[in-house]
Amino acid sequence: MTDVEHQKWWGWGVEGIAFHHEDKPAFAGFVLDKVGIDLTQPGGEPPTFDEIDVPASRLGDDLGAQLRAAVGDHQVSTDDMLRVVHTYGKGMRDLVRVRAGDLPRVPDAVVYPANEDEVRAVVDAVVAADAVLIPFGGGSNISGSLTPQPHEERTVISLDLGRMNRVLEIDESSGLARIQAGGLGPDIEEQLTTRGWTMGHQPDSFKHSTLGGWIATRSSGMQSDKYGDIADITRGMRVVLPGKVVELRPLPSTSTGPSVREMIIGSEGRLGVVTEAWVNVHRVPENRDVIAYLFPNWAAGLAAMAEISTSDAAPTITRVSDANETTFSLATRKASKGISGKVGEGLFEVLRRRGWDLEKVCLSYIGYEGGTAKIRAEKSVVGKIIGKHGGIRLGRGPGSLYDQKKFDTPYIRDFLLDRGAIGDVSETAAPWSKLGQVYTTTVRAARAKFAELGVPGFIMCHLSHSYHSGACLYFTFAFPPNADDDFLGQYDAVKTVIQQSFIDAGGTLSHHHGVGTDHAPWLEQDISEAGTDLMVGLLRAADPGRNLNPGTLI
Ligand code: FAD
């Protein structure tokens, strides 16, 4: 049996880690106030696997024998638990459905190749048998991009790249590393940092997502202001298609027609299997600092981020939360440490006396990396811009809290589901000139939908990545669906108005979560009908038999 480790079949992360509120004194009151859930009442338990009825594998003898010949007997599994783990990503629809045992189509087998030759043999066998192949990285996507089509009649094979997790080579003079696509964030960073290098790509899902998945979904990490999105970081690739391999050498730039590299990035498994990539790597920085600031309101925070993006400072992180998310952040701080020293009643009293409206205060984090002189100069530039927009510096202590919490917050969605509530995210990017409008329209649309459903709902937002011409806005929403209507129907209703607001107000359907099946209804509005035609043509030419992850993207 394979030794690849997987996330929980029913939720985020690994067994034994969960979100707890008992050490966060303000959290229960916050949740009661905002979404009406009483945390003094015990939550429900996630289902046990025995309660789930898993459809039997339909793997035929011939294909099964070919797959075993390709990767070895122990690396082909028809185990029920493994097949369920490979059925869904970790989106809200996925979590609700898997918890309910809603499994219309489950992969018939999970296959774990050790190298590119084995990937080629598997791809060729699957296509020759007219079966379906779905590449699987960490299974962390939240766009519904790896779930088999519900009525798929053909055999479905999930190709798990988990054994291909090595840094193969570092070209030190070019700052490039060749890395296998199945490496999880921690695998990759550990192998790089022991040699003094870092890729710097840190999505919130870092612990449970892979290089191949990042490339296939156009991922972006929290330090993208410095390191770039995965589309910037990825320079070369090898991609297995039926009967052939696309080889893209790592080039700093090239003028060889429409970019094949860009076609593969974001292709969600529909243009083949990425087996390895050349990525930009950087020397591990001498110093790293995250400093927290406060703004009197959201408009001031947005204006400051826009000005920082065109200034001489080049921070690694530019992040500002709206007033709602600031309240949430304060409610999730622990009793004994954290922001309490500074963002406590004392500070708020001072701000009140200065005329700040405490309902509108916005928390911001700016990250710096590099030599001492560089960081000092950047902090000075940023400090002046923040001051100009009425903000104040809180300091390093609250900033380090951001680093501590960043990988734990994802567990909160399961905590809410255990209590019958939905908590999810939607993110977009828009030009600076449209950002305010995207924000206002989206918040208004979500609140109107909460009112229509008759539920106490909460929506909050932060700006998470800045660019020359605009930024990413990341919304989180939560509500307990009413008992009269179907749970996922109410989720869809809220998610739909949020996504439509993005498009209507000038944003994109997603900045870094990809299209999948969940965002596909907005693709044509985003890239135009003619743009969609181009994409359909590309997918048909590469995969005429629709054997590679059909149904996602378009
Ligand atoms: P999977 O979920 O396994 O697969 C995603 C898609 O990629 C599928 O279509 C699959 O077929 C395809 N694929 C996977 N590997 C390959 C390959 N080798 N070749 C070809 N196709 C392949 N995303 C961000 O960008 N930034 C974030 O900060 C972030 N935070 C998140 C936080 C949480 C709590 C969750 C649940 C998700 C978050 N995500 C984030 C989304 C998710 O982690 C990304 O979409 C990630 O890139 C998916 O990688 P994965 O390895 O898990 O891919």
Side-chain angles (χ1 to χ4, degrees):
M1 182 53 66
T2 182
D3 54 4
V4 173
E5 287 178 14
H6 298 295
Q7 295 192 64
K8 295 166 186 164
W9 67 271
W10 54 267
W12 179 250
V14 288
E15 295 291 349
I17 305 187
F19 178 86
H20 294 285
H21 74 94
E22 291 78 4
D23 54 350
K24 304 173 186 75
F27 191 70
F30 173 85
V31 171
L32 187 61
D33 180 38
K34 302 300 180 194
V35 289
I37 297 173
D38 181 358
L39 297 185
T40 60
Q41 300 302 313
E45 291 289 323
T48 63
F49 196 69
D50 299 341
E51 295 169 53
I52 303 292
D53 191 9
V54 184
S57 167
R58 305 182 200 169
L59 179 66
D61 291 344
D62 283 357
L63 182 57
Q66 288 177 52
L67 296 175
R68 288 187 189 94
V71 299
D73 285 352
H74 299 304
Q75 306 302 341
V76 177
S77 177
T78 54
D79 172 76
D80 281 355
M81 170 80 86
L82 284 180
R83 291 191 300 118
V84 170
V85 164
H86 289 78
T87 301
Y88 287 117
K90 299 297 177 193
M92 181 50 55
R93 310 192 98 256
D94 300 329
L95 299 181
V96 171
R97 293 179 68 190
V98 79
R99 279 169 173 245
D102 181 7
L103 298 165
R105 191 68 178 93
V106 172
D108 298 300
V110 184
V111 177
Y112 298 88
N115 54 47
E116 186 178 288
D117 285 344
E118 294 188 1
V119 172
R120 294 181 72 169
V122 172
V123 169
D124 289 346
V126 168
V127 174
D130 192 21
V132 166
L133 182 111
I134 305 181
F136 186 98
S140 73
N141 77 84
I142 48 176
S143 56
S145 63
L146 53 67
T147 302
Q149 296 287 281
H151 305 296
E152 183 58 74
E153 295 288 334
R154 298 173 293 177
T155 307
V156 178
I157 304 299
S158 178
L159 184 76
D160 187 314
L161 280 287
R163 292 169 71 209
M164 296 172 59
N165 61 1
R166 281 179 306 123
V167 173
L168 299 170
E169 149 181 26
I170 299 179
D171 172 351
E172 300 217 346
S173 35
S174 310
L176 287 165
R178 184 159 74 95
I179 303 176
Q180 289 183 304
L184 295 166
D187 294 337
I188 294 172
E189 279 301 313
E190 199 184 311
Q191 294 175 69
L192 288 175
T193 50
T194 51
R195 295 172 63 180
W197 294 90
T198 179
M199 199 173 145
H201 186 71
Q202 292 212 339
D204 292 1
S205 57
F206 175 76
K207 290 187 177 174
H208 303 291
S209 56
T210 62
L211 174 59
W214 299 336
I215 293 171
T217 57
R218 299 193 84 94
S219 165
S220 180
M222 59 187 76
Q223 305 181 138
S224 65
D225 285 26
K226 170 178 174 183
Y227 294 96
D229 297 333
I230 202 68
D232 309 305
I233 295 170
T234 306
R235 305 317 310 162
M237 267 181 286
R238 291 181 64 87
V239 188
V240 171
L241 270 89
K244 55 192 167 198
V245 178
V246 179
E247 297 175 56
L248 300 173
R249 294 164 301 143
L251 297 166
S253 187
T254 170
S255 70
T256 45
S259 167
V260 176
R261 185 182 62 89
E262 279 282 341
M263 290 176 198
I264 303 292
I265 296 171
S267 59
E268 300 186 4
R270 294 213 55 185
L271 288 178
V273 183
V274 179
T275 55
E276 60 179 57
W278 279 102
V279 296
N280 285 342
V281 289
H282 303 255
R283 286 285 179 198
V284 173
E286 210 178 304
N287 303 292
R288 183 171 187 282
D289 240 359
V290 181
I291 304 292
Y293 303 86
L294 278 187
F295 286 99
N297 56 57
W298 175 240
L302 284 191
M305 296 305 124
E307 195 167 334
I308 291 169
S309 78
T310 57
S311 75
D312 288 341
T316 50
I317 303 167
T318 48
R319 179 179 167 122
V320 60
S321 296
D322 72 357
N324 270 356
E325 192 172 285
T326 300
T327 321
F328 169 80
S329 291
L330 298 179
T332 52
R333 68 191 149 145
K334 291 189 179 167
S336 53
K337 50 185 170 179
I339 317 185
S340 48
K342 273 227 159 170
V343 191
E345 282 311 308
L347 176 69
F348 276 99
E349 195 40 50
V350 173
L351 294 176
R352 202 192 318 267
R353 273 193 253 119
R354 279 200 209 170
W356 285 36
D357 178 346
L358 299 185
E359 302 282 305
K360 294 188 176 160
V361 171
C362 292
L363 182 61
S364 169
Y365 295 109
I366 308 286
Y368 306 89
E369 280 184 5
T372 312
K374 173 180 176 283
I375 289 188
R376 194 183 307 120
E378 289 187 341
K379 281 184 185 167
S380 165
V381 171
V382 168
K384 284 188 188 123
I385 294 171
I386 285 180
K388 184 178 146 193
H389 292 279
I392 60 161
R393 180 188 147 113
L394 288 177
R396 190 175 283 138
S400 63
L401 191 74
Y402 166 75
D403 263 357
Q404 286 161 27
K405 288 205 294 192
K406 64 190 177 189
F407 297 135
D408 292 338
T409 314
Y411 286 91
I412 209 167
R413 291 183 316 156
D414 296 308
F415 175 88
L416 287 174
L417 271 181
D418 288 344
R419 286 152 185 86
I422 280 167
D424 202 24
V425 298
S426 271
E427 33 67 67
T428 184
W432 290 112
S433 57
K434 299 203 158 99
L435 223 52
Q437 185 62 26
V438 170
Y439 173 80
T440 312
T441 315
T442 304
V443 170
R444 198 181 294 141
R447 286 188 179 145
K449 189 51 78 177
F450 293 143
E452 193 187 305
L453 293 170
V455 296
F458 184 69
I459 181 161
M460 62 188 189
C461 176
H462 65 262
L463 176 153
S464 62
H465 310 256
S466 297
Y467 300 88
H468 165 76
S469 62
C472 164
L473 288 183
Y474 189 103
F475 293 84
T476 304
F477 57 95
F479 67 99
N482 65 51
D484 316 331
D485 212 346
D486 103 90
F487 195 86
L488 271 184
Q490 294 177 63
Y491 164 73
D492 284 342
V494 175
K495 172 89 177 162
T496 297
V497 295
I498 290 175
Q499 290 296 136
Q500 194 60 50
S501 302
F502 291 168
I503 300 282
D504 293 346
T508 178
L509 60 80
S510 169
H511 167 260
H512 59 261
H513 288 156
V515 181
T517 46
D518 291 3
H519 295 149
W522 290 275
L523 185 61
E524 190 173 306
Q525 294 181 61
D526 197 310
I527 64 170
S528 82
E529 191 183 344
T532 319
D533 288 347
L534 276 178
M535 204 183 278
V536 169
L538 173 66
L539 298 177
R540 276 202 194 127
D543 179 30
R546 289 177 57 81
N547 302 104
L548 304 176
N549 204 7
T552 192
L553 262 180
I554 282 184

